[in-house]
Amino acid sequence: MQIPFVDLRTQYHSIKTEIDRAISNVLDQTAFVGGKYVKQFEADFEKEYGAEHCVSVANGTDAIYIALKMLGIGPENEVITVANSWISTSETIGQTGATPVFVDMEEVYFSIDASKIEDKITERTKAIVPVHLHGQMADIMKIKELCNKHNLYLIEDCAQSHFSEFKGQLAGTIGNVGTFSFYPGKNMGAYGDAGCIITDDDALADRMRMFANHGALKKHAHQIEGINSRLDGLQAAILSVKLRYIRKWTGQRIANAARYTDGLSGIDGLTIPEVRPDTKHSFHLFVVRTSQRDALADHLKGQGISTAIHYPTILPLLPAYDHLGHNASDFPVAYKAQKEILSLPMFPELTVDQIDHVVASVRAFFLE
Ligand SMILES: *Cc1c(COP(=O)(O)O)cnc(C)c1O
């Protein structure tokens, strides 16, 4: 049995008629950039999230950059974020000219350790960018309190947490802005690059929309120099179709995670994910930990099972951040995790047989 890490084809085939029709409508109307399908998707996403504004952009990286930039963050500022994430979270801070200030992660939930944030706040700090990594909510209410206390902006990086919740509140609706990626492999994936930003702040929404479209809200009325970061009509039409299925797919991910958890509990030397109390984890990834990580990955590969590592090197230790002069002992929890984490196959269409094959193969590795 071959089990891919993600399987985008099965999902496409399950909604092929609707997707193909949506694509052909866009082609027919040549609504390629901007236009009615983009407006429709923004309205659909606003409705699902109960947000005042959805500003669609070209990808999830730009979503963070545009939000930071339009919140006024620049070279004189510091922005606090987590040591373990995808580089978009920190490179966008650098793109504004500001300095990313990394904080270690929590041992169990893989999110920024809120108890270590306050020590890093200085006069220059202007914002905190927590990541709801793997689909697991960060300690978001504690972080929000810190933001209120120190007058900082809160930008939730929701690239991996579509429809995750804290006490019924959706990820992305708690901070000043929530940023989303619709990269094909994300929980809600387009068929190319795509992203969006949600906010309830009218003025900020206008500024972000303007900046993403060459600094103009109306054609040729350039108020500022901006960038070109727009959602295209094909991706918008595809995303509107997928939005109708995303809650079902999230439920399937959660059910798959539950079956993994059942099957993989109680194995000596293997740590499985724990869901933070009062939250809904949307299981973008199912990440296990073991000191025998590389051997386990090899063993699973031999059983036809693809795995991945998210991420092999924590951000502060990447060559891109050599200039900050960090070393592993600055982030002991994240550094230890980096050597132990392994992401098992996770997608809504995983079958019971596939999950059971992964479980049996993992058990065999530890118990034989
Ligand atoms: C994928 C991802 C992004 C960036 O999204 P793109 O659409 O690929 O630009 C940002 N942050 C995190 C945590 C991600 O996983």
Side-chain angles (χ1 to χ4, degrees):
M1 190 186 280
Q2 292 294 318
I3 307 180
F5 183 68
V6 286
D7 178 357
L8 302 179
R9 187 182 292 114
T10 302
Q11 184 171 94
Y12 166 56
H13 281 283
S14 75
I15 52 171
K16 183 176 188 311
T17 316
E18 281 170 89
I19 292 281
D20 290 0
R21 192 186 311 124
I23 289 174
S24 120
N25 286 343
V26 176
L27 297 182
D28 220 44
Q29 310 212 11
T30 65
F32 296 133
V33 174
K36 73 183 229 190
Y37 296 101
V38 171
K39 283 206 178 66
Q40 184 62 51
F41 170 68
E42 290 181 341
D44 293 343
F45 204 79
E46 283 163 6
K47 186 154 172 257
E48 286 293 334
Y49 271 85
E52 290 296 322
H53 305 280
C54 168
V55 178
S56 60
V57 296
N59 55 69
T61 307
D62 282 359
I64 307 169
Y65 170 62
I66 292 164
L68 289 167
K69 186 94 178 159
M70 291 301 100
L71 285 167
I73 286 151
E76 62 286 357
N77 299 127
E78 291 172 358
V79 176
I80 291 174
T81 193
V82 68
N84 58 312
S85 183
W86 173 241
I87 192 165
S88 301
T89 314
S90 54
E91 75 181 342
T92 48
I93 296 168
Q95 283 163 12
T96 68
T99 306
V101 174
F102 294 106
V103 171
D104 206 355
M105 67 170 224
E106 304 170 283
E107 176 80 28
V108 176
Y109 303 121
F110 285 82
S111 297
I112 188 167
D113 187 337
S115 72
K116 293 181 182 159
I117 290 178
E118 213 155 17
D119 275 355
K120 301 283 180 87
I121 296 175
T122 71
E123 314 246 277
R124 295 171 61 200
T125 309
K126 189 114 183 228
I128 304 180
V129 186
V131 182
H132 305 298
L133 201 72
H134 309 163
Q136 172 97 277
M137 294 296 294
D139 197 355
I140 195 68
M141 290 309 167
K142 204 138 161 217
I143 298 165
K144 189 175 175 159
E145 267 169 40
L146 287 171
C147 287
N148 291 343
K149 181 171 163 198
H150 295 276
N151 203 18
L152 306 174
Y153 294 119
L154 175 55
I155 294 145
E156 298 176 73
D157 181 346
C158 304
Q160 302 190 6
S161 58
H162 309 75
F163 295 90
S164 301
E165 295 176 9
F166 178 85
K167 288 192 177 167
Q169 232 177 311
L170 288 165
T173 64
I174 296 158
N176 299 86
V177 300
T179 65
F180 292 82
S181 166
F182 304 119
Y183 179 77
K186 297 290 160 79
N187 281 23
M188 194 166 111
Y191 291 166
D193 279 308
C196 82
I197 313 162
I198 57 172
T199 184
D200 286 340
D201 181 332
D202 301 344
L204 176 63
D206 272 354
R207 284 203 304 279
M208 295 192 298
R209 193 177 291 286
M210 183 164 80
F211 185 65
N213 191 23
H214 301 294
L217 282 171
K218 280 198 305 207
K219 200 161 196 175
H220 302 308
H222 306 282
Q223 307 292 324
I224 53 171
E225 283 184 335
I227 61 172
N228 177 356
S229 181
R230 299 175 298 215
L231 181 64
D232 69 70
L234 284 170
Q235 304 310 334
I238 289 163
L239 288 168
S240 281
V241 172
K242 288 200 162 193
L243 204 45
R244 302 201 276 270
Y245 293 92
I246 183 68
R247 286 175 193 277
K248 178 182 134 194
W249 290 331
T250 305
Q252 288 172 323
R253 286 177 182 275
I254 291 168
N256 295 344
R259 195 169 182 94
Y260 269 141
T261 299
D262 270 357
L264 297 174
S265 290
I267 299 175
D268 245 5
L270 184 78
T271 306
I272 55 176
E274 263 179 62
V275 179
R276 190 191 296 280
D278 295 324
T279 68
K280 179 166 164 181
H281 188 322
S282 61
F283 283 102
H284 173 57
L285 298 171
F286 191 91
V287 179
V288 300
R289 283 180 75 155
T290 169
S291 58
Q292 305 174 72
R293 188 264 311 276
D294 294 337
L296 175 61
D298 279 349
H299 169 78
L300 294 177
K301 195 171 170 201
Q303 302 295 308
I305 298 163
S306 300
T307 59
I309 299 170
H310 301 89
Y311 298 93
T313 306
I314 60 172
L315 297 170
L317 300 187
L318 288 168
Y321 295 107
D322 276 352
H323 61 284
L324 296 177
H326 286 301
N327 55 60
S329 62
D330 296 336
F331 310 96
V333 181
Y335 183 66
K336 182 158 189 289
Q338 144 189 327
K339 295 175 282 187
E340 299 182 348
I341 47 178
L342 188 67
S343 306
L344 301 182
M346 175 51 84
F347 48 91
E349 299 78 12
L350 263 178
T351 65
V352 165
D353 286 349
Q354 287 176 317
I355 296 170
D356 291 351
H357 178 58
V358 176
V359 166
S361 303
V362 172
R363 292 201 85 90
F365 174 79
F366 283 98
L367 303 177
E368 264 165 23

